Amino acid sequence: MENYLEYTKVFKALGDPKRAMIVDMLSCGELCACMILEKFEMSQSTLSHHMKLLCECGFVKGRNEGKWTYYSLDAETINKTKQFFCDITSEKENCICKEDGNCCKGCDENE
Amino acid sequence: MENYLEYTKVFKALGDPKRAMIVDMLSCGELCACMILEKFEMSQSTLSHHMKLLCECGFVKGRNEGKWTYYSLDAETINKTKQFFCDITSEKENCICKEDGNCCKGCDENE
DNA sequence: ATGTTAAATCGAAAAGTGTCAATATGATAT
DNA sequence: ATATCATATTGACACTTTTCGATTTAACAT
């Protein structure tokens, strides 16, 4: 599990309310940048910056058509991220809490 | 769905590799702060700061016992976060992409 | 009482982020 | 060719975050 950096990039991207809203907007189909822009009070350059972050982590894909750019969610990255979230939050074998001397109180008591 | 701020706090907390690792460590049981500290090259005050962020968003719970603090994951927040993630990434009714004039190309063509 | 230990808080430095206006790029229309 | 339009990039600014060393707090232990 050395994907920490890969997926924390995704979480960081989702860690901004406006970007989370954009993801929500894209959840039922692709949208043109100008359509997204309409729904926010935000400059065009700021939106472009947010879309760049969402794309760089793989969560969103951009597609050019003429002078427009259409954005949509990337299903594979979504599923992998969900899996990563489950991985780091669910119990597993060989975890640290099962090692000897993992508990400060216990350590003291064994002395 | 006005929980954007609430859950983006969680995502922001998970958006740091070290914090994601801490969550992973806690996934199979509670651990004392000093035990977590042992596993990282990080000052004690830095760890304390990371734990504060993880607790403030509700993802982690702290419990004092004598001079120690034990941390563990909060199952309810985990489940709610998972649900929020699914909500914003899955198709829903009445979404923007189904409105009229949602597509720049179409808008132009209709003129 | 005094010292020790675990953890939190404070203050500061460095790095990163969100935002905008201005400019650049690239496609299309005239 | 030239103008227009959608988007990306740049540069600047304020704000936030990460990190550390130093200090404080609270709980034991002697």
Side-chain angles (χ1 to χ4, degrees):
Chain A
M1 179 82 64
E2 267 320 310
N3 310 348
Y4 289 113
L5 246 165
E6 181 181 350
Y7 291 105
T8 49
K9 259 190 192 174
V10 175
F11 289 132
K12 198 175 267 188
L14 295 176
D16 177 281
K18 288 174 187 169
R19 288 195 292 266
M21 284 187 225
I22 291 169
V23 167
D24 201 4
M25 285 174 67
L26 293 175
S27 62
C28 44
E30 81 175 358
L31 286 173
C32 174
C34 60
M35 179 64 186
I36 302 171
L37 186 55
E38 256 182 33
K39 303 287 172 180
F40 288 94
E41 297 220 342
M42 181 191 291
S43 75
Q44 179 268 322
S45 61
T46 299
L47 176 65
S48 185
H49 172 245
H50 284 309
M51 298 318 294
K52 193 181 179 185
L53 288 183
L54 285 168
C55 288
E56 277 175 351
C57 72
F59 212 75
V60 167
K61 272 180 180 165
R63 175 177 73 81
N64 291 323
E65 191 173 322
K67 56 187 175 182
W68 298 290
T69 307
Y70 291 88
Y71 292 103
S72 57
L73 301 186
D74 182 84
E76 196 186 341
T77 303
I78 289 175
N79 287 332
K80 282 185 179 171
T81 303
K82 208 181 294 183
Q83 187 59 53
F84 179 79
F85 183 91
C86 290
D87 285 347
I88 65 169
T89 56
S90 61
E91 194 162 349
K92 45 200 82 71
E93 295 188 13
N94 302 322
C95 65
I96 288 164
C97 73
K98 285 173 183 149
E99 291 175 10
D100 287 340
N102 65 325
C103 163
C104 299
K105 198 182 163 210
C107 294
D108 279 23
E109 283 170 349
N110 292 338
E111 277 167 14
Chain B
M1 179 81 67
E2 268 318 309
N3 311 348
Y4 289 113
L5 247 166
E6 180 182 349
Y7 290 105
T8 50
K9 258 191 193 174
V10 176
F11 289 134
K12 197 177 266 187
L14 295 177
D16 177 282
K18 287 173 188 168
R19 287 196 293 266
M21 284 187 228
I22 291 169
V23 166
D24 201 5
M25 284 173 68
L26 293 175
S27 61
C28 43
E30 80 175 358
L31 287 173
C32 174
C34 61
M35 179 62 186
I36 302 171
L37 186 56
E38 255 182 34
K39 304 288 173 178
F40 289 94
E41 297 220 342
M42 185 191 289
S43 75
Q44 179 267 322
S45 61
T46 299
L47 176 66
S48 185
H49 172 245
H50 284 309
M51 298 317 295
K52 192 181 181 187
L53 288 183
L54 285 168
C55 288
E56 277 175 351
C57 72
F59 212 76
V60 167
K61 273 181 179 164
R63 175 177 74 82
N64 291 322
E65 191 172 326
K67 56 186 173 183
W68 298 289
T69 307
Y70 291 88
Y71 292 104
S72 57
L73 300 186
D74 181 84
E76 195 186 341
T77 304
I78 290 175
N79 287 332
K80 282 184 179 172
T81 304
K82 208 182 292 183
Q83 188 59 52
F84 179 79
F85 183 92
C86 290
D87 284 347
I88 65 169
T89 56
S90 60
E91 194 161 350
K92 46 200 81 70
E93 294 187 16
N94 302 323
C95 65
I96 289 164
C97 74
K98 283 171 185 153
E99 290 174 10
D100 286 341
N102 66 325
C103 163
C104 299
K105 198 182 164 208
C107 295
D108 279 25
E109 282 169 351
N110 291 338
E111 278 168 14

